[in-house]
């Protein structure tokens, strides 16, 4: 399989690799769901996306958040991050694994690293959202003990039918 490492992304080079992976995820959505491009653009607003990526280190700043980078044989292949969603509750965001590393347990390892760090930082539970078409992600979250729940933030009507929400205790 190669050597898998998962570490906090802290250096400018590591954060740049995470940003590239986030861009790859958005492109993956465009490529796999071309009929849903307007909805992808609503969720990942093109005018605001680069500003969001620029702000990742502040949005997920330690100790209330964290950004993880997975490397396979030294090459960046995946990322995940979390932030405080409410007191005692972390929100997992932007899980993505490149095509070259899928099926190797990278996504599960990233989720486990994020959950462990959130628990160590005092969070009691973790929430996340995912798209209804992302069935592999849904299966992973369920295997990791997440359960479906209602929306935990205001959802624009155009997104209500395509998002699923999950939560688990840490």
């Amino acid at each position: 399989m190669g050597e898998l490492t998962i570490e906090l992304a802290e250096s400018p080079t590591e954060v740049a690799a995470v940003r590239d992976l986030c861009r790859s995820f958005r492109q993956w959505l465009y490529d796999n769901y071309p009929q849903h491009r307007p909805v992808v653009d609503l969720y990942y607003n093109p005018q605001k996306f680069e500003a969001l990526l620029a702000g990742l280190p502040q949005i997920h700043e330690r100790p209330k958040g964290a950004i993880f980078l997975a490397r396979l044989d030294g090459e960046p292949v995946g990322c995940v991050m979390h932030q405080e969603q409410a007191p005692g509750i972390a929100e997992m965001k932007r899980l993505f694994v490149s095509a070259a590393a899928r099926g190797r347990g990278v996504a599960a390892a990233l989720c486990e690293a994020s959950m462990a760090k959130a628990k160590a930082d005092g969070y009691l539970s973790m929430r996340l959202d995912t798209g209804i078409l992302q069935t592999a992600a849904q299966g992973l979250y369920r295997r990791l003990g997440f359960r479906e729940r209602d929306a935990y933030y205001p959802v624009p009507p155009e997104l209500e039918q395509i998002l699923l929400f999950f939560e688990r205790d840490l």
Side-chain angles (χ1 to χ4, degrees):
M1 170 173 134
E3 182 186 3
L4 175 65
T5 59
I6 297 177
E7 298 176 345
L8 287 171
E10 298 173 315
S11 75
T13 303
E14 292 164 338
V15 173
V18 168
R19 288 184 181 115
D20 287 343
L21 287 160
C22 290
R23 289 182 191 103
S24 295
F25 175 62
R26 188 174 66 163
Q27 189 60 51
W28 180 87
L29 290 171
Y30 287 153
D31 293 346
N32 286 277
Y33 307 110
Q35 71 279 23
H36 295 289
R37 186 173 182 131
V39 176
V40 173
D41 282 343
L42 183 63
Y43 192 82
Y44 292 108
N45 182 306
Q47 290 77 31
K48 297 179 181 176
F49 189 65
E50 287 301 318
L52 171 75
L53 295 182
L56 289 179
Q58 293 75 38
I59 296 168
H60 303 286
E61 188 173 23
R62 300 279 312 127
K64 293 196 180 256
I67 301 173
F68 292 91
L69 177 63
R71 294 181 187 271
L72 194 57
D73 293 329
E75 292 300 313
V77 296
C79 64
V80 72
M81 49 209 80
H82 66 260
Q83 64 195 30
E84 185 173 73
Q85 199 270 322
I89 303 169
E91 180 182 29
M92 187 183 296
K93 302 292 287 181
R94 298 176 197 86
L95 173 66
F96 179 69
V97 175
S98 67
R102 289 193 193 123
R104 298 178 180 211
V106 176
L110 281 163
C111 288
E112 289 167 358
S114 179
M115 290 185 299
K117 180 62 76 181
K119 182 176 183 174
D121 288 341
Y123 289 108
L124 304 174
S125 65
M126 182 167 273
R127 295 176 178 171
L128 60 88
D129 66 29
T130 192
I132 60 168
L133 301 174
Q134 293 164 278
T135 56
Q138 293 168 39
L140 170 64
Y141 299 140
R142 286 185 178 100
R143 284 191 303 278
L144 291 172
F146 285 87
R147 64 192 180 288
E148 277 191 61
R149 55 152 298 144
D150 58 334
Y152 54 84
Y153 62 81
V155 179
E158 308 90 292
L159 294 177
E160 284 178 347
Q161 299 304 311
I162 65 145
L163 290 177
L164 292 174
F165 297 85
F166 289 85
E167 185 170 9
R168 68 158 280 171
D169 292 337
L170 294 175

